[in-house]
Amino acid sequence: MPQMTGSDIIVRLLEKRGIDIAAGIPGGANLPLYHALSKSKIRHILARHEQGAGFIAQGMARSTGKAAVCFGTSGPGATNLITAIADAKLDSVPVVAITGQVPTGMIGTDAFQEVDTYGMTLPITKHNFLVRKAEELLVVIPEAFRIAESGRPGPVVIDVPKDVQKESVQVEALPDMQAPVRASAVLDEADISRFHAMLRDAQKPVLLVGGGVIVSDAAAQVIALARKNSIPVASTLMGLGCFPPDDPLFIGMVGMHGARFTNMIMEETDLVIALGMRFDDRATGRVDAFCPNASIIHVDVDRSEIDKIKTASLSVIADLSDTLDQIVPGIEENPRREWNTHVQSLKQTYALQAPEPDDPYHPVHLVRTISRIADANTIYTTDVGQHQMWAAQWIQVSRPRTFLTSGGLGTMGFGVPAAIGAALANPDKPVICISGDGSFLMNMQELATIRDHNLNVKILILNNGYLGLVRQQQEYFYEKVYHGSQFECQPDFAAIASGFGIHAQRLDDATDPADALKKALNQDGPVLLDIPIHHGKNVTPMVPPGSANIVMIGE
Ligand SMILES: Cc1ncc(C[n+]2csc(CCOP(=O)(O)OP(=O)(O)O)c2C)c(N)n1
Ligand SMILES: [Mg+2]
């Protein structure tokens, strides 16, 4: 019966769980854990800020679907992780954050670097633990992974006091790591018939897919359902990638920055089949005016989402992939000629407008060029702002888990570290981070991490000298008073990246951006391009916050 310390138990169980990469930063309160890690095969990625470590874990988790791990010390280490944890909660990402805590005897004394990590993370985690004894880790670590990955995934925090990390206990045998529990369900025959009947009776059905389709690996079933019954498919921001964008049935992203035709079709539809989506306000606009003519079938693994925002006529609380396996076989083939002809004509008349081709530095042209020339296996990450919305509108995302974006929390600073995580977990795939000049500055210290591991990450900054999405709202809704949204100093991003040892270039009028993009994407290793764009370009159309989606301004 070997003696093991709490730290050894953590590390051995992480290894048993198949964790081979984990990001973090050490400090006084997690040094015993780091000492144990030094003897492990787990590849430690030294981030330069714990928020970076949290988003690196997210990049791994979002691109693979498997829970990923990050570490932080007590106090500021834990507070720095908070934003990434909250972000994972809102986008249902399985992250296990292991934080150091002051020794148990000092908890509650305002000890050096003490914060109540458990209390602070209670509302932003799926579950959290404060471990009091080393032997508890034998239960807590497997539980944390099971919870993070089961049903609707989410972040779990394990706060481990320093004395617990050091405590030595007899361990008979390490526990098995349990597989995540799928919320599989055998559907009620009555529900299946009701689903079929509602679809049969509908004249203008639409499938509305969200991030849950990706989480549940249900893209293939969604495609089968849509094609069998010729149902147009709209997506939320988080659902992008689960339906092929070039399929005529695809009608794009709904909501605040959706195309006109998409929101118009949602206005007309008489049946919304909402799959793994939660009626977020950026998708619905004014809720009572969202799909005003439609009945709703809502399938979601999380009971608390049902009837939370929109009341469903039929709801199924179960894993989507499982549900569709039972629903699709009984779906009738139906060409729905009239509805689809109408949808196509709206699509033609009210599609997103690409600007005239005279300005190659127009952000829409740039994003379309990136999408056209990038390798088909590319994983994209974005930051938050106009560039994110142009990316969502114009990048042809054709596979699940290849468009990683901070949807629910909308966190500037997400893009670069998430790209690192994606690159670490997918060494065979190119990674492109589309960022903005504001967002980039929020986690650019992770350029050092990129350099450490020579990651194949291309960072493309659409540089408008502004907090552009804020500027756009001020232009439309705040009397064109641009208070606090214009940057006075224009950092030399290429010089900064070079300072980190990363190949970089600032494009200018003399450079053909398509050429420069091609060269950058074909180059081995990390590259940063600082791409000037005109500050006055807006993301259109736009639904004014709080308005019905049918009220769209801009082209
Ligand atoms: C951490 C954080 N702070 C503030 C905001 C509010 N916000 C949303 S978009 C945006 C502007 C982002 O600027 P930039 O990265 O340059 O992107 P752009 O809109 O110019 O493309 C701001 C400040 C946010 N989303 N996240
Ligand atoms: Mg900007």
Side-chain angles (χ1 to χ4, degrees):
M1 279 180 290
Q3 287 277 348
M4 288 179 81
T5 64
S7 295
D8 291 333
I9 295 174
I10 296 173
V11 170
R12 288 293 308 282
L13 287 177
L14 293 182
E15 289 169 345
K16 228 179 145 177
R17 189 59 179 48
I19 298 297
D20 48 10
I21 304 175
I25 300 185
N30 66 354
L31 268 178
L33 175 61
Y34 266 75
H35 192 61
L37 270 173
S38 72
K39 295 172 221 154
S40 161
K41 282 203 211 85
I42 295 173
R43 180 175 172 204
H44 179 255
I45 303 299
L46 175 61
R48 299 309 201 269
H49 186 299
E50 289 82 356
Q51 190 183 114
F55 283 133
I56 290 171
Q58 276 215 37
M60 296 193 278
R62 288 183 190 239
S63 63
T64 63
K66 298 199 190 87
V69 176
C70 58
F71 306 115
T73 189
S74 65
T79 54
N80 276 351
L81 278 173
I82 292 280
T83 301
I85 295 169
D87 190 281
K89 177 71 163 40
L90 280 170
D91 285 349
S92 307
V93 182
V95 166
V96 175
I98 304 179
T99 48
Q101 182 54 278
V102 302
T104 40
M106 293 169 77
I107 289 178
T109 66
D110 293 336
F112 177 62
Q113 296 195 326
E114 180 186 3
V115 292
D116 178 5
T117 303
Y118 179 84
M120 282 191 322
T121 56
L122 194 59
I124 54 163
T125 47
K126 187 168 173 196
H127 197 68
N128 63 355
F129 298 93
L130 171 57
V131 183
R132 296 286 184 160
K133 297 222 160 304
E135 67 181 359
E136 288 173 24
L137 289 163
L138 296 166
V139 179
V140 165
I141 302 284
E143 266 296 280
F145 281 91
R146 190 188 60 76
I147 293 168
E149 286 185 343
S150 297
R152 177 180 185 169
V156 176
V157 166
I158 311 174
D159 198 30
V160 193
K162 191 171 183 180
D163 56 318
V164 175
Q165 295 171 45
K166 292 200 285 192
E167 185 192 346
S168 198
V169 287
Q170 295 262 323
V171 178
E172 309 274 345
L174 288 172
D176 286 333
M177 299 294 281
Q178 309 149 30
V181 180
R182 259 181 111 90
S184 40
V186 179
L187 299 194
D188 225 316
E189 276 304 320
D191 283 348
I192 299 179
S193 324
R194 183 103 188 280
F195 194 119
H196 291 156
M198 282 177 77
L199 182 57
R200 196 179 316 116
D201 293 345
Q203 303 303 308
K204 304 173 169 188
V206 168
L207 284 170
L208 178 52
V209 296
V213 174
I214 294 172
V215 169
S216 162
D217 285 329
Q221 290 98 316
V222 168
I223 293 169
L225 170 61
R227 289 186 180 154
K228 204 164 174 192
N229 200 263
S230 314
I231 315 170
V233 180
S235 176
T236 68
L237 176 66
M238 295 302 293
L240 293 175
C242 71
F243 201 80
D246 51 358
D247 188 307
L249 288 170
F250 190 59
I251 56 169
M253 179 175 74
V254 294
M256 184 175 275
H257 292 295
R260 244 165 219 283
F261 78 93
T262 316
N263 287 333
M264 291 166 80
I265 292 167
M266 298 314 281
E267 190 76 4
E268 280 191 43
T269 172
D270 61 355
L271 176 66
V272 173
I273 304 175
L275 303 177
M277 61 79 65
R278 61 182 175 86
F279 297 98
D280 175 81
D281 53 275
R282 281 291 192 270
T284 62
R286 209 183 83 211
V287 174
D288 60 310
F290 182 62
C291 304
N293 302 303
S295 311
I296 292 175
I297 299 177
H298 193 181
V299 186
D300 202 288
V301 75
D302 184 351
R303 179 179 301 271
S304 66
E305 291 301 344
I306 305 295
D307 297 342
K308 182 179 89 176
I309 309 278
K310 276 296 231 189
T311 307
S313 308
L314 170 64
S315 54
V316 178
I317 304 158
D319 178 78
L320 248 174
S321 163
D322 239 48
T323 303
L324 293 181
D325 278 346
Q326 294 167 68
I327 295 286
V328 175
I331 297 283
E332 292 159 6
E333 304 218 358
N334 185 345
R336 296 193 180 275
R337 283 215 181 81
E338 204 179 321
W339 176 223
N340 278 296
T341 308
H342 180 58
V343 164
Q344 289 309 322
S345 85
L346 287 176
K347 193 170 179 174
Q348 259 159 33
T349 317
Y350 300 101
L352 289 172
Q353 296 296 310
E356 293 301 315
D358 54 344
D359 174 10
Y361 278 96
H362 191 292
V364 166
H365 289 319
L366 291 167
V367 171
R368 295 180 82 195
T369 305
I370 295 164
S371 181
R372 184 163 43 78
I373 66 181
D375 187 286
N377 285 318
T378 298
I379 300 177
Y380 295 90
T381 72
T382 76
D383 263 300
V384 171
Q386 290 179 313
H387 62 278
Q388 175 191 32
M389 290 299 118
W390 283 313
Q393 288 180 334
W394 294 99
I395 298 273
Q396 299 288 296
V397 192
S398 47
R399 258 168 276 193
R401 303 196 183 285
T402 60
F403 188 75
L404 316 186
T405 197
S406 171
L409 199 64
T411 311
M412 293 167 68
F414 173 91
V416 170
I420 295 174
L424 287 165
N426 304 271
D428 52 331
K429 292 187 183 151
V431 179
I432 294 178
C433 167
I434 298 180
S435 188
D437 49 328
S439 298
F440 174 72
L441 287 172
M442 290 212 187
N443 270 321
M444 67 161 188
Q445 76 287 344
E446 301 308 330
L447 289 179
T449 315
I450 293 180
R451 180 63 258 177
D452 283 351
H453 304 280
N454 196 34
L455 298 171
N456 185 17
V457 170
K458 315 297 186 224
I459 300 169
L460 310 175
I461 300 177
L462 300 188
N463 186 348
N464 51 14
Y466 273 84
L467 295 168
L469 201 55
V470 173
R471 195 211 62 83
Q472 171 169 346
Q473 294 219 20
Q474 289 172 324
E475 177 183 334
Y476 288 156
F477 314 119
Y478 294 91
E479 301 162 22
K480 300 191 164 65
V481 177
Y482 302 116
H483 191 57
S485 59
Q486 183 178 12
F487 296 124
E488 282 170 32
C489 137
Q490 300 286 337
D492 184 341
F493 292 118
I496 291 167
S498 305
F500 281 93
I502 287 173
H503 185 88
Q505 187 189 353
R506 178 174 167 86
L507 309 193
D508 55 33
D509 285 348
T511 330
D512 172 4
D515 243 25
L517 282 166
K518 252 182 235 153
K519 273 193 203 121
L521 299 191
N522 286 330
Q523 192 165 329
D524 282 342
V527 179
L528 179 145
L529 290 188
D530 179 7
I531 311 171
I533 61 170
H534 191 273
H535 67 264
K537 303 292 183 219
N538 288 337
V539 185
T540 54
M542 175 177 194
V543 177
S547 296
N549 279 349
I550 204 67
V551 185
M552 287 169 276
I553 53 180
E555 284 144 45

